């Protein structure tokens, strides 16, 4: 096999978005106010009655046909709803004006809601940046921004948003640790605003193809997987104990240093290096101990004979 021949599997299909993607953008549909349609219906009725009274009943079918066409072309759009108009398979526009409108006869109209929606993803099991299995879920707030793309660019835009949101959550959760020992590091638990911003941008980039606008993405559930939850809890408790001990030791050293400095400044008691070391040791034991110290009163001399 010669090395200059490419594999037929690599040339079998395009990769990415170079295939047959539907290129469509929302535009305003040609529609007249519904009052004109009502006037046309009344006119058809008047003409039909006039034909019947004048003895031209054979022509009544024409105003009746026009009446049916006009009646079928009237649409009612409620607030927060739209009508996507399709005439013999061709997208002609979207009616966003609320109320009664008169569109092209014989056109199909599909209802698309542009209200704000939200849903909560499933509890996903993901390995974080440190390889720890975690459970994560998020609430996604979204809205249809381009009705034409929502209907024609993807097969089912609601399912598309749901799947892409879960994919984005998995990706963001995998690049951050659940918790970070460094207070300046980014973690899922400690940097909720940063993670939420990354999730919003990630989901927005994935669902832009469907004409959907992401308003907000927030983590609603975050926990270690059950099989390691107890071990991680002990680890967090150990880290908390170490941090608390560090703070206690740091404060005790400062207090011992302050006590020795005050004694030296007062000149009430003169201590040599050995006594200073003993006093520092006693103070550290008292300050760092978990239990309260039991004082011992020395009634003898400072130095044994």
């Amino acid at each position: 096999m010669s090395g200059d021949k490419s594999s037929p599997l690599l040339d079998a299909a395009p990769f990415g978005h170079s295939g047959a993607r539907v290129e469509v953008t929302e535009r305003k549909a040609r529609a007249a106010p519904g009052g004109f349609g009502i006037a046309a219906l009344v006119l058809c009725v008047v003409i039909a009655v006039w034909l019947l009274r004048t003895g031209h009943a054979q022509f009544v079918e024409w105003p009746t046909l026009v009446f049916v066409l006009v009646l079928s072309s009237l649409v009612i759009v409620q607030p927060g709803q739209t009508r996507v108009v399709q005439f013999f398979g061709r997208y002609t526009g979207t009616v966003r004006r609320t109320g009664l409108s008169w569109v092209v006869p014989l056109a199909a109209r599909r209802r698309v809601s542009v209200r704000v929606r939200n849903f909560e993803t499933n509890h996903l099991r993901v390995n974080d940046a440190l390889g720890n299995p975690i459970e994560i879920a998020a609430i996604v707030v979204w809205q249809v921004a381009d009705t034409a793309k929502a209907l024609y660019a993807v097969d089912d835009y609601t399912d598309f948003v749901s799947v892409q949101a879960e994919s984005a959550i998995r990706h963001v959760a995998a690049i951050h640790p659940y918790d970070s020992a460094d207070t300046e590091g980014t973690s899922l638990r400690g940097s909720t605003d940063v993670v939420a911003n990354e999730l919003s941008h990630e989901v927005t980039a994935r669902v832009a193809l469907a004409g959907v606008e992401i308003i907000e993405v927030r983590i609603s559930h975050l926990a270690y997987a059950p099989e390691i939850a107890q071990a991680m809890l002990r680890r967090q408790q150990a880290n908390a104990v170490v941090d608390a001990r560090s703070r206690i030791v740091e404060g005790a050293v400062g207090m011992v240093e302050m006590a020795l400095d005050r004694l030296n400044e007062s000149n009430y008691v003169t201590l040599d290096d050995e006594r200073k070391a003993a006093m520092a040791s006693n103070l550290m034991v008292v300050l760092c101990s978990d239990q309260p110290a039991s004082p011992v009163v020395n009634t003898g001399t400072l130095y044994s004979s």
Side-chain angles (χ1 to χ4, degrees), residues 45-190:
V45 173
V46 172
I47 294 175
V49 172
W50 178 79
L51 290 175
L52 290 175
R53 290 186 176 182
T54 56
H56 299 84
Q58 66 273 18
F59 299 110
V60 175
E61 59 184 13
W62 293 107
T64 303
L65 178 61
V66 174
F67 181 90
V68 173
L69 291 177
V70 173
L71 183 63
S72 63
S73 62
L74 293 176
V75 295
I76 299 177
V77 180
Q78 299 177 356
Q81 300 286 338
T82 63
R83 291 294 187 276
V84 178
V85 182
Q86 182 179 345
F87 186 71
F88 289 100
R90 182 180 180 183
Y91 169 68
T92 60
T94 301
V95 180
R96 283 183 174 264
R97 188 172 64 89
T98 58
L100 185 65
S101 298
W102 186 14
V103 298
V104 181
L106 303 178
R109 287 99 60 184
R110 298 182 61 179
R111 178 183 301 176
V112 178
S113 174
V114 292
R115 297 171 181 170
V116 177
R117 313 183 193 183
N118 69 90
F119 68 94
E120 185 176 10
T121 63
N122 298 321
H123 288 195
L124 308 175
R125 293 175 62 89
V126 191
N127 290 339
D128 67 355
L130 302 179
N132 299 319
I134 63 174
E135 292 182 352
I136 186 172
I139 295 177
V140 182
V141 184
W142 62 285
Q143 182 182 24
V144 174
D146 192 309
T147 57
K149 289 183 178 180
L151 282 183
Y152 303 118
V154 295
D155 187 47
D156 186 346
Y157 65 92
T158 55
D159 183 67
F160 183 81
V161 172
S162 176
V163 173
Q164 294 300 322
E166 291 188 358
S167 176
I169 292 171
R170 289 182 180 274
H171 177 260
V172 173
I175 61 177
H176 293 290
Y178 177 89
D179 202 354
S180 177
D182 186 6
T183 56
E184 297 181 356
T186 303
S187 64
L188 297 174
R189 190 177 67 90

